[in-house]
Amino acid sequence: MQAPVVLFHSGPLQPLWQQPGLTQVGPAIQAALQHGELSVARILGAVGRIDPGRPGVLLHYSDPFLLRANPLRGLRQWQGPRLLACGDLHHGNSPIETLAAYLEAEPHDAVLLTFNPALVAQVSQRLRVPVRALPPSFFRYPAAVPAAQPRPVLLHVGSLGPHHPRRRELVAGLQARGRLPFRHASTSSPEEAAALYAQHALVLNVPLNHDLNHRFFEVMAAGVPQVVFGDHGLVGEHRALAERPDVFWASSLEELEELVLRLFAEPERLRGIPVAPPPYWELKDLLKAAFAP
């Protein structure tokens, strides 16, 4: 029988992430956070069906911002294997150093980079435990049915705030030049984003600082081709992700415009591109790969 897996993440219950044998406990202790720091003791106290002597695997999902602002403490109290799944390594100053310092204080048995496969070698040099990137790890995304006649418009969804200057510059350039039918939008949930993707023929994805990002897999789940503004190296050793027929790449504004114009010139061919679902991992396979020596 597979050992239970306890997923701690500081957020609401995520129904799409749920798999057999997985217990999400972050949502169960949110109220307790008003009265003290995050701790393994609070996890064990919040979920009564966890056996303290045989608690199973702790799958701890965090990022450098949370590791600084509100880190999970007391990891030595957890008697089972401990896996830190770390995202958003582009956040803040010296995020890899933040991760390394946290692991010195709160040891884990392995680290999973959720969306930074390009940084595995760099992070491995700073840590004493195995480091893997197995995107999209334990995440799941809303599926959608693409429109029979999608809008022949390049859609971009995402923030253009002060922390995203490269993305803002690219969107502004596309709008100013006016060579492409282009739309920028923002959404408040993955479900809303999936529904919007499905209405359009092509999606623009602008990753940040070596981060492959959720959007890469959200668009796949919605069944729509995408253009990634960045380098193939974002996928690290997962070359199959870069070579999918529904994923195109561009590294300059001019290259992006020429690529999109070429795709839109053959709308039937664009609609006929097969879009497979994201390469989801079963939980037992993910853990086996993550903990491998």
Side-chain angles (χ1 to χ4, degrees), residues 101-125:
Y102 174 70
L103 288 172
E104 286 292 327
E106 299 291 348
H108 291 64
D109 299 298
V111 169
L112 186 63
L113 304 185
T114 55
F115 295 106
N116 295 98
L119 297 180
V120 168
Q122 185 177 346
V123 175
S124 295
Q125 292 176 354

Side-chain angles (χ1 to χ4, degrees), residues 9-120:
H9 62 96
S10 298
L13 179 71
Q14 299 288 339
L16 285 177
W17 298 359
Q18 198 57 47
Q19 295 190 46
L22 180 70
T23 299
Q24 298 185 48
V25 299
I29 63 174
Q30 289 306 299
L33 302 185
Q34 305 300 320
H35 308 289
E37 68 177 11
L38 292 174
S39 69
V40 166
R42 289 184 184 276
I43 293 178
L44 294 172
V47 185
R49 61 182 176 275
I50 297 177
D51 179 354
R54 301 180 61 186
V57 178
L58 176 61
L59 176 51
H60 172 203
Y61 174 47
S62 193
D63 61 52
F65 176 81
L66 290 173
L67 293 179
R68 288 192 303 270
N70 203 4
L72 177 63
R73 298 297 186 189
L75 268 295
R76 289 178 175 85
Q77 299 175 45
W78 189 270
Q79 298 303 305
R82 299 167 298 218
L83 174 62
L84 175 60
C86 188
D88 291 338
L89 282 178
H90 64 266
H91 277 190
N93 297 321
S94 303
I96 296 177
E97 293 304 315
T98 297
L99 172 60
Y102 174 70
L103 288 172
E104 286 292 327
E106 299 291 348
H108 291 64
D109 299 298
V111 169
L112 186 63
L113 304 185
T114 55
F115 295 106
N116 295 98
L119 297 180
V120 168

Side-chain angles (χ1 to χ4, degrees), residues 229-242:
F229 192 79
D231 185 82
H232 293 70
L234 284 173
V235 304
E237 64 181 13
H238 301 278
R239 301 301 303 170
L241 290 175

Side-chain angles (χ1 to χ4, degrees), residues 157-291:
V157 174
S159 171
L160 301 180
H163 300 296
H164 307 92
R166 181 169 177 262
R167 183 182 290 167
R168 187 171 64 250
E169 180 182 348
L170 177 63
V171 169
L174 288 170
Q175 293 171 332
R177 291 160 66 95
R179 293 191 65 202
L180 302 179
F182 175 72
R183 177 186 179 188
H184 165 72
S186 58
T187 56
S188 57
S189 71
E191 290 76 15
E192 183 183 347
L196 192 59
Y197 298 144
Q199 298 170 20
H200 292 77
L202 191 63
V203 174
L204 173 62
N205 180 1
V206 188
L208 302 171
N209 299 344
H210 305 294
D211 188 353
L212 197 58
N213 74 30
H214 281 292
R215 203 160 314 281
F216 188 71
F217 301 102
E218 280 185 348
V219 177
M220 291 177 188
V224 180
Q226 64 182 293
V227 180
V228 182
F229 192 79
D231 185 82
H232 293 70
L234 284 173
V235 304
E237 64 181 13
H238 301 278
R239 301 301 303 170
L241 290 175
E243 296 165 359
R244 287 173 55 115
D246 56 305
V247 177
F248 300 89
W249 298 81
S251 55
S252 70
L253 179 56
E254 293 75 18
E255 185 182 3
L256 173 64
E257 289 176 331
E258 293 305 319
L259 170 63
V260 173
L261 288 171
R262 188 164 67 249
L263 291 171
F264 281 168
E266 299 183 84
E268 293 295 330
R269 185 175 179 182
L270 180 58
R271 283 197 297 270
I273 292 174
V275 183
Y280 290 138
W281 287 82
E282 294 295 330
L283 195 56
K284 61 180 178 59
D285 297 327
L286 176 70
L287 295 176
K288 181 179 179 180
F291 283 117

